[in-house]
Amino acid sequence: MRHPPSTPTLSLKGRALRLLAQREHSRPELEAKLARHVQEGDDLRAVLDELQARDFINPGRVAESVVHRRAARLGTQRVVQELRAKGLDDALVRATAERLRGSEQARALAVWRQRFGTPPGTPQERARQMRFLAARGFAGEIVRRVVGGKAADDEDGAAPDGASD
């Protein structure tokens, strides 16, 4: 009778490197994922310190990765929420958010065009389109401009048709 070959147990460092090979991870993410694999004699903090010292763990790359993967479809608020959930430094999150705000209207317009493409015909449809964009984390003022058709010409900045947040 043959037994299935046993898979060798990966070290904490091996597990961390496997996770990092799949995508960028923040230190708190790795710590949470690896904590259940710590065995007697393992020093998780030392493993993470070494990986960070060798630049395998890099908060800036984590932020860039999230922006690259998510910003085209999500507003600044949702991207910021994801960055905070990864445990990134508040200064890095604020800097990333500031950078994203400059392109938020163009991103919202692209998402709206892909999903709807035509201005709403009824107040109900207008509300539905606004909810769609708001749920994706776009700012209220941006949502009003895009759905109200003022995305290209935002002279007055007022909410079209008397809408508010």
Side-chain angles (χ1 to χ4, degrees):
M1 183 166 126
R2 293 180 63 176
H3 295 287
S6 64
T7 57
T9 304
L10 281 175
S11 67
L12 284 178
K13 185 175 180 180
R15 286 180 190 279
L17 289 172
R18 179 186 283 171
L19 290 168
L20 288 166
Q22 294 168 355
R23 70 168 174 84
E24 296 289 343
H25 284 74
S26 65
R27 184 178 176 122
E29 280 183 299
L30 283 174
E31 197 166 355
K33 288 182 178 184
L34 296 173
R36 65 182 178 180
H37 299 288
V38 174
Q39 297 175 356
E40 191 174 332
D42 286 341
D43 186 356
L44 180 56
R45 176 171 281 145
V47 169
L48 295 176
D49 286 345
E50 179 189 348
L51 291 172
Q52 198 159 5
R54 299 173 118 203
D55 205 34
F56 285 106
I57 300 173
N58 183 309
R61 280 200 318 261
V62 172
E64 284 306 311
S65 173
V66 170
V67 167
H68 178 74
R69 286 183 295 113
R70 309 287 280 160
R73 294 182 308 276
L74 298 177
T76 301
Q77 293 168 359
R78 281 277 299 274
V79 174
V80 164
Q81 183 180 23
E82 197 167 318
L83 293 173
R84 286 202 172 112
K86 291 182 177 303
L88 295 179
D89 176 67
D90 205 41
L92 176 60
V93 172
R94 279 195 309 270
T96 304
E98 195 57 41
R99 203 178 78 230
L100 284 172
R101 281 190 189 96
S103 66
E104 184 158 15
Q105 185 164 311
R107 292 182 290 118
L109 187 58
V111 168
W112 178 83
R113 280 187 179 140
Q114 183 177 13
R115 175 67 186 236
F116 301 105
T118 59
T122 65
Q124 293 81 10
E125 178 62 18
R126 183 173 193 275
R128 188 174 80 85
Q129 290 184 13
M130 291 178 80
R131 280 192 309 272
F132 174 83
L133 290 174
R136 276 144 190 81
F138 292 103
E141 183 60 32
I142 300 289
V143 169
R144 286 190 297 275
R145 282 188 203 143
V146 168
V147 175
K150 296 196 180 220
D153 58 299
D154 61 3
E155 322 86 18
D156 59 17
D161 302 327
S164 62
D165 280 0

